[in-house]
Amino acid sequence: NDVEITYEELLAEFERLQVKDDDPGLTAQELSEAWGIPRRKVYDLLRQAETRGLLEVGRKKVRTLSGGMQKTPCYRLKKTKKRRSRKS
């Protein structure tokens, strides 16, 4: 069964994980570890966000098991009018 997630819930989770405006985003593996759910479920949630036009996909360098660097997809939410900047 599919779990629906609102933009506000996704935004809260990305803010909790401290995805800042200048951050390229988080990888599916990072989200999986942070949320404690399998990557397959992360992809389901990201697909929902993408279908609604809420997702930005970028690439960032991550260290591989062999010690090299590799660009991998990363994800963040698009800015919307609903999004308010957090006061520091």
Side-chain angles (χ1 to χ4, degrees):
N1 63 23
D2 286 341
V3 173
E4 290 290 319
I5 188 164
T6 66
Y7 173 80
E8 288 76 20
E9 290 169 329
L10 271 176
L11 178 59
E13 279 299 306
F14 275 80
E15 285 183 347
R16 182 180 70 82
L17 298 172
Q18 298 182 343
V19 178
K20 304 290 187 211
D21 287 342
D22 59 348
D23 187 335
L26 298 167
T27 66
Q29 181 64 37
E30 290 168 335
L31 291 168
S32 173
E33 291 170 5
W35 293 343
I37 61 175
R39 268 192 291 177
R40 180 182 172 114
K41 188 62 184 171
V42 168
Y43 286 122
D44 289 344
L45 294 171
L46 291 172
R47 214 170 282 112
Q48 285 181 39
E50 195 280 326
T51 299
R52 296 175 185 168
L54 304 175
L55 194 67
E56 287 182 0
V57 180
R59 295 186 83 68
K60 72 177 185 179
K61 289 184 179 181
V62 295
R63 187 165 306 282
T64 64
L65 291 175
S66 64
M69 297 300 285
Q70 175 180 329
K71 283 194 173 188
T72 192
C74 59
Y75 309 93
R76 58 181 287 137
L77 295 184
K78 288 182 179 178
K79 292 182 187 180
T80 69
K81 294 176 184 175
K82 291 181 183 179
R83 189 168 181 179
R84 290 176 284 205
S85 61
R86 292 171 57 179
K87 294 180 181 178
S88 298

